[in-house]
Amino acid sequence: MQSPQEPTQSREVPPQAARPPLSQVPAKLPKSGERRRATKLYLEGTKRYQERRFEEALELYRQAATLDPTNSDYQMSEEVAKSHAVTALLQEAAQARTRGDRAGARAALQRALALDPANASVTEHLHQLADDAVAENSDPGGARPGPELGGLEHLAPAQGARSFHIRANQRQIIEQVFRAWGVEPSVDDSVRGNVARLDIEDASFAEATRAVSALTDTFYVPLDPHRAVVARDTRDLRQQFTRQGVETISLAGLTNTEMNDLGSMARNVFEIQQVSVDPTAGTITLRAPEDALKAFNATYRDLNAGRSEVMIDVRLVQLAHTHTRNTGVTPPQTVTAFNVYSEEQSILNQNQALVQQIISSGLASPGDTLAILGILLASGQVSSSIFQNGIALFGGGLTLSGLSPGPVQFNLSLNSSDSRELDDFQLRLEDGEEGTLKSGTRYPIQTSSYSSLSANSLNIPGLNSAGTSGGLAGLESSLLGANTAIPMVQYQDLGLVLKATPRVLRSGNVALNVDMKISSLAGTSLNGVPVLANRAYSGVTTLRANEGFVIASEMNSNEARAVSGWPGLTEIPGLNNITDKNVQKNESTLLIIMTPRLVHVPHGTGHSPMMPVERRLAR
């Protein structure tokens, strides 16, 4: 029973104001354990204070003051920490307000108000934040936030799972299930009142409402976080109750054709009927249910992220080897037979003056023709190819004959050369983009020529006009009949032309489509036009990223062997190694090593998560 002096009403005060100052609390002597505990808390709070963690230090100081209220240092430290904590929160709110983050500024001010409810600075900052919100909403020409799904309500049911075992009419089942999670349903008159039974264990709100929708053939639309409208699932009622969202998306960087294609995709794929494309402003405006807008946004975000990019490392390795060896003996290939008397008389008759000088000088007697002939050949004044390589004599008198073999040649030579060339290229291509790599030269080929048939083809001042020099007039007459031929030249790519088109597969592998062509001069010509030798390859290969492969290997091997000797003798075993052999070997190898590397994969590998799609028949 209350006495008249006691108050009949109580006023709720904040937790910080509920505790009176420690100076007004009767001092209670703490125990020794409480003093030690308070000291540890005070020291820990001091560390947090030095680290500028003022809120944590404030809580530790409060605990120390509660354990040992007789120590005034704890209360003073608590007040200082509270002052610094409120100041830090005010600065944090000011920074958030400058960035335009009103939610962050409001949260920081509310924490400061909870620490010090009587602080006038905190209250003033809250008033300023509210004034900013009011001014922004009242200014129709002010800055608007970017296009987003705002204003569409969503339910906020209570947490936890529920179990139901109900046998009642459909309206009662709907009401019991929604109210179990704190949501008040407004059941439309279209919902039937047939008796049904619902048995479900440990179901969440989403699972329970899905079961109720399937059981009663209904759907619901949120009105606010705690209210919803439930109606029968028909096309007319869905169009009547389903809320529509309006969104304007910026299509910067797209062409008019791409914008129109995006609008067609919204109508045909996502079944959004109200679509407005503005090519001038570069925007598209959609009005549709939230689910359709979210699906369109997700698709456009993936399209706008771009295609995957592949870096293809191309290494060209060219190896060439040339080997030439010439060894052995080349025997005489010809033997000359002659009459010694005839050759002597021919040489002596051609050199009578020299013969007279030899005889007059006493070097040889007049009848000693062999001595005279030897002196002539030894002096170098007379030369004869028959007597240079030695002779073999047979016969006698006027029939004395001789044989002069050809020269004998000893060969011992070796020539070997190796060349290696390495070219490294990089092709950065998008998924499905074709890249071309050319390595070689551009060779000019004359295809035709243009010739003027006019007699006045030359137009040189002073020649085809009046001049003062008679020599120039003669020069003019000789040049007027000349025709000027202008060649028509076409440049042809010689060397390697490589085309590559990568495609990134869902598994993360790369399918590479390769077209290769190697062109070179064949060494012959047709009507003055050189003939080209071409080799081409086309194929598709699939490999993992960062895995190299040899896309082409071209090997040419030529060997030529020439044997010089006597017929029959060169085929005898043992003697064929003595005869001259000229062996030439040419080998060339071309290796093309390609390694694709994924440098940009906006969508990742694999497939997107599967989503259930429900289509309802119209009633």
Side-chain angles (χ1 to χ4, degrees):
M1 183 175 180
Q2 288 182 337
S3 61
Q5 291 78 13
E6 294 179 354
T8 59
Q9 296 181 353
S10 61
R11 181 172 58 88
E12 183 179 357
V13 296
Q16 290 77 10
R19 182 169 58 87
L22 294 179
S23 60
Q24 301 178 7
V25 178
K28 182 182 70 171
L29 296 177
K31 298 179 181 179
S32 58
E34 294 176 343
R35 289 181 182 273
R36 290 193 297 272
R37 177 61 179 168
T39 302
K40 291 181 180 180
L41 292 174
Y42 177 77
L43 294 177
E44 183 66 23
T46 303
K47 293 181 181 178
R48 304 291 176 85
Y49 181 86
Q50 293 176 352
E51 296 173 357
R52 303 187 65 83
R53 298 158 65 179
F54 302 118
E55 295 184 58
E56 298 179 8
L58 175 61
E59 182 62 26
L60 293 174
Y61 286 153
R62 283 178 179 173
Q63 295 179 14
T66 303
L67 291 175
D68 188 5
T70 59
N71 194 333
S72 59
D73 293 339
Y74 298 162
Q75 183 179 1
M76 295 176 58
S77 299
E78 178 184 350
E79 295 297 330
V80 173
K82 180 172 65 175
S83 176
H84 282 77
V86 171
T87 303
L89 289 172
L90 290 175
Q91 295 176 355
E92 180 181 349
Q95 294 176 358
R97 181 184 175 189
T98 303
R99 296 193 303 267
D101 185 7
R102 290 190 299 273
R106 186 180 298 106
L109 292 177
Q110 289 176 353
R111 287 165 55 190
L113 186 63
L115 294 178
D116 191 0
N119 194 307
S121 298
V122 177
T123 306
E124 182 65 23
H125 281 79
L126 284 173
H127 291 166
Q128 294 178 359
L129 192 63
D131 295 339
D132 293 343
V134 172
E136 182 177 357
N137 294 331
S138 61
D139 184 10
R144 297 293 183 184
E148 60 181 4
L149 289 177
L152 295 179
E153 296 293 345
H154 300 84
L155 288 179
Q159 300 295 327
R162 309 287 192 273
S163 299
F164 298 95
H165 301 281
I166 308 172
R167 178 178 174 79
N169 62 60
Q170 296 181 1
R171 301 175 66 91
Q172 293 176 351
I173 293 176
I174 294 172
E175 292 175 353
Q176 292 186 31
V177 171
F178 276 81
R179 288 171 181 171
W181 277 276
V183 178
E184 184 64 28
S186 298
V187 183
D188 187 68
D189 295 338
S190 60
V191 178
R192 299 171 181 176
N194 299 337
V195 177
R197 183 176 182 84
L198 176 64
D199 292 298
I200 189 170
E201 293 285 346
D202 297 332
S204 62
F205 177 78
E207 295 172 346
T209 53
R210 190 180 303 114
V212 169
S213 298
L215 179 64
T216 61
D217 193 17
T218 57
F219 73 99
Y220 71 91
V221 177
L223 296 178
D224 57 37
H226 301 288
R227 292 189 304 164
V229 173
V230 182
R232 188 182 176 188
D233 193 359
T234 64
R235 174 175 294 182
D236 295 337
L237 292 178
R238 276 188 175 270
Q239 293 180 355
Q240 178 182 352
F241 289 105
T242 303
R243 294 191 173 185
Q244 303 286 324
V246 179
E247 184 176 12
T248 300
I249 303 175
S250 176
L251 305 179
L254 299 184
T255 62
N256 295 341
T257 303
E258 293 173 341
M259 293 182 188
N260 295 329
D261 292 342
L262 199 61
S264 300
M265 181 184 69
R267 297 186 186 93
N268 301 328
V269 177
F270 298 96
E271 298 181 352
I272 301 176
Q273 301 302 325
Q274 300 184 16
V275 179
S276 176
V277 179
D278 188 356
T280 304
T283 60
I284 180 173
T285 303
L286 310 173
R287 186 176 187 272
E290 182 180 5
D291 295 339
L293 293 179
K294 285 184 177 179
F296 180 84
N297 279 327
T299 303
Y300 175 68
R301 183 166 52 251
D302 291 341
L303 294 176
N304 198 33
R307 294 179 290 177
S308 301
E309 294 185 5
V310 181
M311 177 76 75
I312 303 178
D313 293 335
V314 183
R315 297 170 63 89
L316 303 181
V317 181
Q318 303 181 49
L319 305 177
H321 175 69
T322 302
H323 180 82
T324 303
R325 184 180 61 184
N326 189 2
T327 59
V329 178
T330 304
Q333 303 296 316
T334 59
V335 177
T336 304
F338 60 93
N339 185 271
V340 176
Y341 178 76
S342 300
E343 290 295 331
E344 289 178 353
Q345 294 300 320
S346 176
I347 294 175
L348 294 176
N349 292 333
Q350 294 175 3
N351 300 279
Q352 286 295 326
L354 295 176
V355 172
Q356 294 298 328
Q357 292 180 5
I358 293 173
I359 294 175
S360 60
S361 61
L363 296 177
S365 59
D368 193 356
T369 58
L370 292 177
I372 296 173
L373 181 62
I375 294 173
L376 290 174
L377 295 176
S379 63
Q381 299 292 329
V382 178
S383 62
S384 176
S385 59
I386 296 178
F387 298 102
Q388 286 181 355
N389 300 324
I391 58 176
L393 301 177
F394 61 91
L398 296 177
T399 62
L400 181 63
S401 302
L403 295 177
S404 176
V408 179
Q409 184 177 357
F410 293 90
N411 299 315
L412 188 61
S413 65
L414 176 64
N415 186 10
S416 180
S417 64
D418 294 300
S419 64
R420 295 176 177 85
E421 183 177 355
L422 175 63
D423 294 331
D424 195 352
F425 306 94
Q426 287 184 341
L427 298 176
R428 182 162 185 163
L429 306 173
E430 287 189 346
D431 186 11
E433 181 185 4
E434 182 183 276
T436 303
L437 172 64
K438 296 182 180 181
S439 177
T441 59
R442 293 178 60 85
Y443 186 79
I445 298 178
Q446 181 177 350
T447 58
S448 61
S449 61
Y450 170 77
S451 178
S452 175
L453 300 179
S454 173
N456 297 325
S457 58
L458 296 178
N459 185 13
I460 304 176
L463 293 179
N464 50 14
S465 59
T468 57
S469 174
L472 288 178
L475 179 62
E476 178 185 7
S477 61
S478 63
L479 292 178
L480 285 178
N483 295 328
T484 304
I486 302 175
M488 305 297 292
V489 178
Q490 178 182 356
Y491 284 88
Q492 181 68 31
D493 293 328
L494 298 183
L496 174 65
V497 178
L498 181 66
K499 296 181 180 180
T501 305
R503 295 190 181 277
V504 181
L505 304 181
R506 177 183 296 182
S507 60
N509 296 339
V510 179
L512 202 58
N513 189 351
V514 179
D515 291 330
M516 184 190 68
K517 182 178 179 182
I518 301 177
S519 302
S520 61
L521 295 175
T524 59
S525 60
L526 181 62
N527 295 329
V529 179
V531 178
L532 301 181
N534 296 323
R535 295 184 180 182
Y537 166 80
S538 178
V540 180
T541 181
T542 302
L543 66 159
R544 294 189 296 269
N546 303 325
E547 181 181 25
F549 71 103
V550 178
I551 192 61
S553 175
E554 181 187 15
M555 300 182 64
N556 293 331
S557 179
N558 299 324
E559 181 176 353
R561 180 185 296 245
V563 180
S564 299
W566 292 342
L569 184 62
T570 58
E571 301 177 359
I572 300 177
L575 296 179
N576 53 4
N577 294 327
I578 302 176
T579 58
D580 180 63
K581 290 184 178 181
N582 190 351
V583 181
Q584 296 182 358
K585 294 181 180 181
N586 296 321
E587 297 179 354
S588 61
T589 304
L590 174 63
L591 300 178
I592 303 177
I593 305 173
M594 304 181 68
T595 305
R597 308 182 189 276
L598 296 178
V599 296
H600 177 60
V601 185
H603 309 296
T605 58
H607 56 79
S608 60
M610 292 183 291
M611 301 175 61
V613 178
E614 299 180 1
R615 289 185 176 272
R616 299 185 180 273
L617 298 177
R619 293 181 176 84

